[in-house]
């Protein structure tokens, strides 16, 4: 004798009243319960950024040394310190002027002496000119009288010799004047050199910038061949010198934007690629990329920082990276149509923060198996379960 549960008996009695065949609820839902429930993701259009990651040290774009232009003078005052911003022509230090002032006084005395000697030479020229003119007249008269036989030939020769000697003394006097004038020019040149050095006792900044180092000390003897008095960063410009793998450096071009993050901070600073190194280190296989950073935003030379160099920004169809499988033949996704899994080949592009651009192979709104490692095959029937977005804090 077969015993039927009370619930089943009631169901059979109800169905007998309606005339419908008796099918239990468990039997109706059995096919659906036997299918695996698989999480699926939807292909959606989203913003994607193609970027290159790099890291390095922040350095000055150009360092400028401030050296004294006068040798052997002691440092009298220092007008700036590390961190001060200066403009081109600002006096940053002063050298002791006493030695140069004494030398200038001596040269002024030498010039006065040379001018007095020149005046004497010019007086001698006037006297020599008068004597030469008189001697020439006497010679000419003697020559005329000698031709008439009034004076002897020996007297004519004596007067001719006297005229020649007077002319020679005149030439010597004129040369003495030229020497005197040259002496004065030498002294004037020396005075100009002293005046130039006196002006150079004020050590000035050659360009606009920020003082980054000060090695000068009051009382020390300044020398152009010694350690620079000051080091400055031209215009305060600094840059991140980042190391980039050789496989990525070819994608980077001058002018590309970048986001620079200082070690220990969360906020990123805007930057721009200033220079891409034309060489790659044969040992490390890394190349340098120089990224300008705004020093007013808090970055300092010597800091360690990382950068995201923006190659391209697009809005395109994308899938989570976990939904794709890369094989020798290419990249595939497991598309779900009418609850049936179908493998499709896709062409991928930019990869950004866990998402991959789908160039070809899918359309917006298509559903794919969210986990590429899920145990499903081409043609399997599944119960698709929509992937839930992560809860916000």
């Amino acid at each position: 004798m077969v015993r039927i549960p009370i619930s089943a008996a009631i169901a059979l009695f109800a169905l007998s009243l309606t005339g419908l065949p008796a099918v239990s609820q468990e039997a109706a839902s059995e096919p659906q319960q036997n299918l695996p429930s698989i999480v699926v993701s939807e292909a959606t259009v989203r913003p994607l950024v193609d970027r290159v990651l790099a890291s390095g040290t922040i350095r000055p774009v150009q360092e400028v040394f401030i050296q004294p232009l006068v040798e052997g003078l002691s440092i009298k005052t220092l007008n700036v310190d590390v961190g001060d911003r200066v403009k081109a022509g600002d006096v940053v230090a002063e050298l002791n002027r006493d030695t140069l002032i004494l030398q200038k006084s001596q040269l002024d005395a030498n010039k006065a002496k040379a001018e007095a000697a020149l005046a004497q030479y010019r007086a001698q020229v006037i006297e020599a000119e008068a004597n030469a003119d008189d001697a020439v007249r006497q010679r000419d008269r003697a020559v005329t009288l000698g031709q008439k036989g009034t004076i002897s030939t020996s007297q004519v020769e004596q007067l001719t010799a006297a005229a020649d000697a007077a002319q020679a003394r005149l030439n010597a006097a004129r040369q003495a004047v030229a020497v005197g004038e040259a002496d004065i020019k030498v002294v004037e040149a020396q005075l100009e050199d002293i005046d130039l050095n006196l002006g150079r006792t004020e050590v000035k900044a050659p360009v606009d910038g920020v003082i980054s180092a000060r090695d000068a000390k009051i009382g020390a003897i300044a020398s152009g061949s010694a350690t620079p008095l000051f080091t400055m960063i031209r215009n305060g410009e600094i840059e991140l010198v980042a190391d980039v793998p050789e496989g990525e450096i070819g994608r980077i071009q001058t002018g590309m934007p970048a986001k620079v993050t200082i070690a220990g901070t969360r906020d990123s600073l805007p930057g721009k690629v200033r220079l891409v190194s034309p060489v790659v280190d044969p040992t490390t296989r890394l190349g340098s990329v120089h990224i300008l950073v705004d020093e007013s935003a808090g970055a300092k030379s010597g800091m360690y920082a990382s950068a995201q160099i923006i190659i391209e920004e697009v809005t395109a169809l994308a899938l989570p990276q976990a939904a794709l499988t890369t094989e020798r033949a290419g990249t595939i996704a497991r598309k779900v149509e009418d609850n049936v899994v179908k493998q499709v080949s896709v062409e991928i592009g930019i990869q950004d923060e866990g998402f991959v651009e789908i160039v070809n192979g899918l359309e917006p709104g298509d559903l794919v198996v969210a986990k590429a490692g899920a145990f499903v095959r081409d043609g399997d029937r599944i119960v698709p379960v929509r992937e839930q977005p992560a809860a916000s804090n």
Side-chain angles (χ1 to χ4, degrees):
M1 179 177 181
V2 179
R3 295 188 178 186
I4 301 176
I6 297 176
S7 60
I10 296 174
L12 289 173
F13 177 74
L15 289 174
S16 63
L17 295 177
T18 60
L20 296 176
V23 180
S24 68
Q25 184 176 358
E26 290 83 354
S29 60
E30 182 177 357
Q32 187 73 8
Q33 289 178 347
N34 290 337
L35 297 179
S37 297
I38 303 296
V39 178
V40 295
S41 296
E42 181 180 353
T44 58
V45 176
R46 60 181 293 118
L48 298 170
V49 180
D50 186 10
R51 69 193 80 196
V52 173
L53 303 181
S55 61
T57 304
I58 295 178
R59 302 174 184 173
V61 174
Q62 185 178 6
E63 283 190 323
V64 179
F65 293 154
I66 302 179
Q67 295 277 48
L69 301 178
V70 185
E71 294 286 337
L73 300 181
S74 62
I75 300 175
K76 183 179 180 181
T77 60
L78 298 174
N79 301 333
V80 295
D81 206 341
V82 175
D84 290 346
R85 187 174 291 273
V86 298
K87 294 185 176 296
D90 287 352
V91 178
V92 297
E94 295 181 15
L95 306 181
N96 199 317
R97 303 161 54 97
D98 295 344
T99 302
L100 294 177
I101 292 175
L102 178 60
Q103 292 177 0
K104 184 175 182 180
S105 298
Q106 293 173 347
L107 290 174
D108 286 335
N110 292 340
K111 181 180 179 182
K113 182 179 178 181
E115 289 175 345
L118 178 61
Q120 184 178 1
Y121 296 149
R122 286 173 176 170
Q124 291 175 357
V125 168
I126 295 173
E127 181 182 359
E129 285 178 345
N131 293 336
D133 291 342
D134 183 62
V136 168
R137 284 194 301 270
Q138 291 182 12
R139 180 198 63 187
D140 293 342
R141 187 166 50 252
V143 170
T144 302
L145 293 176
Q147 291 174 352
K148 294 179 180 179
T150 305
I151 60 175
S152 63
T153 302
S154 61
Q155 289 177 327
V156 173
E157 291 175 352
Q158 290 176 358
L159 292 173
T160 300
D164 292 340
Q167 189 64 41
R169 286 192 293 271
L170 175 60
N171 292 337
R174 287 174 176 171
Q175 290 176 358
V177 169
V179 171
E181 291 175 344
D183 289 341
I184 291 177
K185 289 182 179 179
V186 170
V187 175
E188 288 177 344
Q190 292 173 339
L191 285 170
E192 290 177 357
D193 183 61
I194 290 294
D195 289 336
L196 179 61
N197 287 336
L198 283 171
R200 288 176 173 176
T201 57
E202 293 183 339
V203 182
K204 299 179 180 180
V207 296
D208 294 355
V210 177
I211 302 296
S212 60
R214 187 184 80 170
D215 295 311
K217 294 179 176 59
I218 294 177
I221 302 300
S223 175
S225 59
T227 303
L229 301 183
F230 299 93
T231 303
M232 61 185 299
I233 302 173
R234 183 168 189 169
N235 297 325
E237 294 178 337
I238 56 177
E239 62 185 2
L240 171 63
V241 182
D243 294 327
V244 178
E246 61 181 353
E248 299 284 356
I249 196 169
R251 304 170 59 204
I252 302 173
Q253 297 180 2
T254 301
M256 284 183 171
K259 296 180 180 179
V260 178
T261 304
I262 307 299
T265 65
R266 295 182 178 180
D267 297 334
S268 60
L269 308 178
K272 184 173 69 174
V273 176
R274 182 184 71 87
L275 182 148
V276 179
S277 175
V279 297
V280 172
D281 190 298
T283 303
T284 63
R285 318 310 303 177
L286 299 174
S288 297
V289 175
H290 298 242
I291 303 171
L292 284 173
V293 181
D294 186 4
E295 57 92 17
S296 63
K300 304 294 182 184
S301 178
M303 286 182 170
Y304 183 81
S306 60
Q308 299 180 21
I309 303 170
I310 309 302
I311 305 298
E312 184 183 6
E313 293 181 294
V314 298
T315 300
L317 185 66
L319 278 178
Q321 192 169 8
L324 300 173
T325 302
T326 301
E327 300 178 349
R328 180 175 299 179
T331 303
I332 64 170
R334 292 172 173 82
K335 183 178 178 182
V336 178
E337 289 184 346
D338 298 329
N339 298 348
V340 178
V341 177
K342 178 182 179 183
Q343 290 188 358
V344 294
S345 297
V346 295
E347 181 182 351
I348 62 175
I350 297 173
Q351 299 184 27
D352 179 29
E353 296 183 345
F355 287 86
V356 181
E357 178 188 6
I358 305 300
V359 179
N360 286 316
L362 293 174
E363 298 294 334
D366 287 348
L367 297 179
V368 299
V369 176
K371 302 295 181 182
F375 189 69
V376 292
R377 293 172 298 178
D378 193 19
D380 286 353
R381 296 184 62 83
I382 65 171
V383 176
V385 179
R386 291 272 185 167
E387 186 176 23
Q388 298 297 321
S392 172
N393 291 331

